[in-house]
Amino acid sequence: MKPASWIFALSISGAAARAPLALAQPPATKASWTIYAAVNYATVEGIQEVNKEPMTGKGFGVALDWRLNNVFTFQPELQYTEKGYQYDPYVPIKLKLTYIEVPLLLRASTEMADNGMRLYALAGPTLAMRRSCDASVGSASGKCNTLSQGMTTMDSGLLLGFGLDFRIRSSTLTTSLRYDRGLSDIQKTDGQAKSRAFSLLLGWRL
């Protein structure tokens, strides 16, 4: 066999040997951004008030979607969120706590279907820093400076949720329902008070 034929044969053999390894390797890591807005349905567990009710608040933030493989994505987020509770003994009283929150989430996704939809679940810890404390009694409102002195400035929790992606051309619309369970006691006095919140998010993955 001529030298050129040997070189050609060896090249084909090498390519054939490398093909299974290339197919077995995970896809290249890819990062993208998601911006989102949220509606929160929050309360504080452990505080016993007459006619206590959950409070509706808002939130918004940004997420970095760091794709690890075809299934898992690491999703750190930075968000502004409103929590708290309200009760009505004789006149409506509302306590609103605002936080800068950092969830560190792991997302598991199905394959994108032919109709452009994909189901996913997510879970991970959260760390939050209280930004403000506002209270309102009837139509009067103001800062709850005295009350906030008996509260911690940091909170931590566990977030669980599921959602749907909708592919729209080169971008993706995403929506999710989440449950944020606070694990830290947010008050310094005796007794325990832990935040709880359900959130409905709508986002645009760029």
Side-chain angles (χ1 to χ4, degrees), residues 103-124:
L104 301 174
L105 306 177
L106 184 65
R107 189 177 77 226
S109 308
T110 62
E111 292 289 338
M112 186 71 76
D114 293 338
N115 59 4
M117 296 177 61
R118 173 172 55 202
L119 179 67
Y120 64 88
L122 44 82

CSV table of all heavy atoms in Angstrom, one decimal, residues 103-124:
chain,number,residue,atom,x,y,z
A,103,PRO,N,-31.5,33.8,45.5
A,103,PRO,CA,-31.7,32.3,45.4
A,103,PRO,C,-30.6,31.7,44.6
A,103,PRO,O,-30.2,32.2,43.6
A,103,PRO,CB,-33.1,32.2,44.7
A,103,PRO,CG,-33.7,33.6,44.7
A,103,PRO,CD,-32.5,34.5,44.7
A,104,LEU,N,-30.2,30.5,45.0
A,104,LEU,CA,-29.2,29.7,44.3
A,104,LEU,C,-29.8,28.4,43.9
A,104,LEU,O,-29.9,27.5,44.7
A,104,LEU,CB,-27.9,29.5,45.1
A,104,LEU,CG,-27.2,30.7,45.6
A,104,LEU,CD1,-26.1,30.4,46.6
A,104,LEU,CD2,-26.6,31.5,44.4
A,105,LEU,N,-30.3,28.3,42.7
A,105,LEU,CA,-31.3,27.3,42.3
A,105,LEU,C,-30.6,26.3,41.3
A,105,LEU,O,-29.8,26.7,40.5
A,105,LEU,CB,-32.5,27.9,41.7
A,105,LEU,CG,-33.2,28.9,42.5
A,105,LEU,CD1,-34.4,29.5,41.7
A,105,LEU,CD2,-33.7,28.4,43.8
A,106,LEU,N,-31.1,25.1,41.4
A,106,LEU,CA,-30.8,24.0,40.4
A,106,LEU,C,-32.1,23.7,39.7
A,106,LEU,O,-33.0,23.3,40.3
A,106,LEU,CB,-30.2,22.8,41.1
A,106,LEU,CG,-29.7,21.7,40.1
A,106,LEU,CD1,-28.5,22.2,39.3
A,106,LEU,CD2,-29.3,20.4,40.9
A,107,ARG,N,-32.0,23.8,38.3
A,107,ARG,CA,-33.2,23.6,37.5
A,107,ARG,C,-33.1,22.3,36.7
A,107,ARG,O,-32.0,22.1,36.1
A,107,ARG,CB,-33.5,24.8,36.6
A,107,ARG,CG,-34.8,24.7,35.9
A,107,ARG,CD,-35.1,25.9,35.1
A,107,ARG,NE,-34.4,25.9,33.8
A,107,ARG,CZ,-33.7,26.9,33.3
A,107,ARG,NH1,-33.6,28.1,34.0
A,107,ARG,NH2,-33.0,26.9,32.2
A,108,ALA,N,-34.1,21.5,36.7
A,108,ALA,CA,-34.1,20.2,35.9
A,108,ALA,C,-35.2,20.4,34.9
A,108,ALA,O,-36.4,20.6,35.3
A,108,ALA,CB,-34.3,19.0,36.8
A,109,SER,N,-34.9,20.3,33.6
A,109,SER,CA,-35.8,20.5,32.5
A,109,SER,C,-36.0,19.3,31.7
A,109,SER,O,-35.1,18.5,31.5
A,109,SER,CB,-35.3,21.7,31.7
A,109,SER,OG,-35.0,22.8,32.4
A,110,THR,N,-37.2,19.2,31.1
A,110,THR,CA,-37.4,18.2,30.0
A,110,THR,C,-36.9,18.7,28.7
A,110,THR,O,-36.5,19.9,28.6
A,110,THR,CB,-38.9,17.8,29.9
A,110,THR,OG1,-39.6,19.0,29.5
A,110,THR,CG2,-39.4,17.3,31.3
A,111,GLU,N,-36.9,17.9,27.7
A,111,GLU,CA,-36.6,18.3,26.3
A,111,GLU,C,-37.7,19.2,25.8
A,111,GLU,O,-38.8,19.1,26.2
A,111,GLU,CB,-36.4,17.1,25.4
A,111,GLU,CG,-35.2,16.2,25.7
A,111,GLU,CD,-33.9,16.9,25.4
A,111,GLU,OE1,-33.9,17.9,24.5
A,111,GLU,OE2,-32.8,16.6,25.9
A,112,MET,N,-37.3,20.2,25.0
A,112,MET,CA,-38.3,21.1,24.4
A,112,MET,C,-39.2,20.2,23.4
A,112,MET,O,-38.7,19.6,22.5
A,112,MET,CB,-37.6,22.2,23.6
A,112,MET,CG,-38.5,23.2,23.1
A,112,MET,SD,-39.3,24.3,24.3
A,112,MET,CE,-37.9,25.4,24.7
A,113,ALA,N,-40.5,20.3,23.6
A,113,ALA,CA,-41.4,19.5,22.8
A,113,ALA,C,-41.5,20.2,21.4
A,113,ALA,O,-41.1,21.3,21.2
A,113,ALA,CB,-42.8,19.4,23.5
A,114,ASP,N,-42.2,19.5,20.5
A,114,ASP,CA,-42.4,20.0,19.1
A,114,ASP,C,-43.2,21.3,19.1
A,114,ASP,O,-43.1,22.1,18.2
A,114,ASP,CB,-43.0,18.9,18.2
A,114,ASP,CG,-42.1,17.7,18.0
A,114,ASP,OD1,-40.9,17.9,18.2
A,114,ASP,OD2,-42.6,16.7,17.7
A,115,ASN,N,-44.1,21.4,20.1
A,115,ASN,CA,-45.0,22.6,20.2
A,115,ASN,C,-44.3,23.8,20.9
A,115,ASN,O,-44.9,24.8,21.1
A,115,ASN,CB,-46.3,22.3,20.9
A,115,ASN,CG,-46.0,21.8,22.4
A,115,ASN,OD1,-44.9,21.7,22.9
A,115,ASN,ND2,-47.1,21.4,23.0
A,116,GLY,N,-43.0,23.6,21.2
A,116,GLY,CA,-42.2,24.7,21.8
A,116,GLY,C,-42.4,24.9,23.3
A,116,GLY,O,-42.0,25.9,23.8
A,117,MET,N,-42.9,23.8,24.0
A,117,MET,CA,-43.1,23.9,25.4
A,117,MET,C,-42.1,22.9,26.1
A,117,MET,O,-41.8,21.9,25.6
A,117,MET,CB,-44.5,23.6,25.8
A,117,MET,CG,-45.5,24.6,25.2
A,117,MET,SD,-47.2,24.1,25.6
A,117,MET,CE,-47.2,24.1,27.4
A,118,ARG,N,-41.7,23.3,27.4
A,118,ARG,CA,-40.8,22.5,28.2
A,118,ARG,C,-41.2,22.7,29.6
A,118,ARG,O,-41.4,23.8,30.1
A,118,ARG,CB,-39.4,23.0,27.9
A,118,ARG,CG,-38.3,22.3,28.8
A,118,ARG,CD,-36.9,22.6,28.4
A,118,ARG,NE,-36.7,24.1,28.3
A,118,ARG,CZ,-35.8,24.6,27.6
A,118,ARG,NH1,-35.0,23.9,26.8
A,118,ARG,NH2,-35.6,26.0,27.6
A,119,LEU,N,-41.2,21.6,30.3
A,119,LEU,CA,-41.6,21.6,31.8
A,119,LEU,C,-40.3,21.5,32.6
A,119,LEU,O,-39.3,20.8,32.2
A,119,LEU,CB,-42.4,20.3,32.1
A,119,LEU,CG,-42.9,20.1,33.6
A,119,LEU,CD1,-43.8,21.3,34.0
A,119,LEU,CD2,-43.5,18.8,33.8
A,120,TYR,N,-40.2,22.2,33.7
A,120,TYR,CA,-39.0,22.2,34.6
A,120,TYR,C,-39.4,22.3,36.0
A,120,TYR,O,-40.5,22.7,36.4
A,120,TYR,CB,-38.0,23.3,34.2
A,120,TYR,CG,-38.5,24.7,34.4
A,120,TYR,CD1,-38.4,25.3,35.7
A,120,TYR,CD2,-39.1,25.4,33.4
A,120,TYR,CE1,-38.8,26.6,35.8
A,120,TYR,CE2,-39.5,26.7,33.6
A,120,TYR,CZ,-39.4,27.3,34.8
A,120,TYR,OH,-39.8,28.6,35.0
A,121,ALA,N,-38.5,21.8,36.9
A,121,ALA,CA,-38.6,21.9,38.3
A,121,ALA,C,-37.4,22.6,38.8
A,121,ALA,O,-36.3,22.4,38.2
A,121,ALA,CB,-38.9,20.6,39.0
A,122,LEU,N,-37.5,23.3,40.0
A,122,LEU,CA,-36.3,23.9,40.5
A,122,LEU,C,-36.3,23.9,42.0
A,122,LEU,O,-37.4,23.9,42.7
A,122,LEU,CB,-36.1,25.4,40.0
A,122,LEU,CG,-37.4,26.3,39.9
A,122,LEU,CD1,-37.6,26.9,41.3
A,122,LEU,CD2,-37.2,27.4,38.9
A,123,ALA,N,-35.1,24.0,42.6
A,123,ALA,CA,-35.0,23.9,44.1
A,123,ALA,C,-33.6,24.5,44.5
A,123,ALA,O,-32.7,24.4,43.7
A,123,ALA,CB,-35.2,22.5,44.6
A,124,GLY,N,-33.6,25.1,45.7
A,124,GLY,CA,-32.3,25.6,46.2
A,124,GLY,C,-32.5,26.5,47.4
A,124,GLY,O,-33.6,26.9,47.7
